[in-house]
Amino acid sequence: MKPETVAQHCLSLPDGTEDFPFGPQPAVYKTGGKIFALLAEDADPPRVSLKLPPDEVEALKAQYPGTVLPGYHLNKRHWVTVLLEGDLDDEEILTLIDASHETVIQTIPRTRRPPSAR
């Protein structure tokens, strides 16, 4: 999957915004002010880090070793880093991005959630 596709998809999600708080890389995608994805386009291979429920994190790492890794510089219990040139196809990566967005939305108080997610 191309990093541009990841970026476009993250921005297409409700209240999806892009920020660069750490410099030019990684691109940070937020909803409701909370991070749901970090995209490292300059990594070799490119990768995206996503926040998911702990049980899903463990299952993905077991199912896709070498492609789904513990979150790079993130809480290993809640975050995974997915190589964009690994065993997952584009649709599976987009589904994981959606799941990460939804996981983060659920942590935001209802009054601060995007209108489409209330």
Side-chain angles (χ1 to χ4, degrees):
M1 170 173 277
K2 294 184 179 186
E4 300 82 31
T5 304
V6 171
Q8 290 170 352
H9 187 71
C10 288
L11 290 171
S12 75
L13 296 171
D15 195 39
T17 61
E18 181 179 60
D19 193 11
F20 295 91
F22 309 115
Q25 291 291 315
V28 174
Y29 297 93
K30 299 179 180 182
T31 186
K34 293 192 172 212
I35 298 172
F36 70 92
L38 295 101
L39 175 62
E41 292 183 55
D42 62 346
D44 186 24
R47 56 198 68 206
V48 63
S49 294
L50 304 167
K51 185 173 187 174
L52 298 167
D55 57 331
E56 194 170 337
V57 165
E58 291 306 315
L60 285 167
K61 289 190 302 186
Q63 186 175 1
Y64 299 103
T67 297
V68 178
L69 311 170
Y72 183 70
H73 285 293
L74 299 162
N75 182 322
K76 311 294 188 243
R77 186 166 185 256
H78 296 278
W79 289 83
V80 292
T81 296
V82 179
L83 304 182
L84 299 182
E85 298 174 4
D87 295 333
L88 291 165
D89 65 31
D90 291 2
E91 193 61 38
E92 289 172 310
I93 294 171
L94 294 178
T95 298
L96 289 176
I97 293 169
D98 291 346
S100 179
H101 181 265
E102 183 60 28
T103 298
V104 171
I105 287 277
Q106 296 306 313
T107 68
I108 300 170
R110 285 195 185 275
T111 56
R112 290 190 35 231
R113 289 183 191 174
S116 61
R118 288 188 188 148

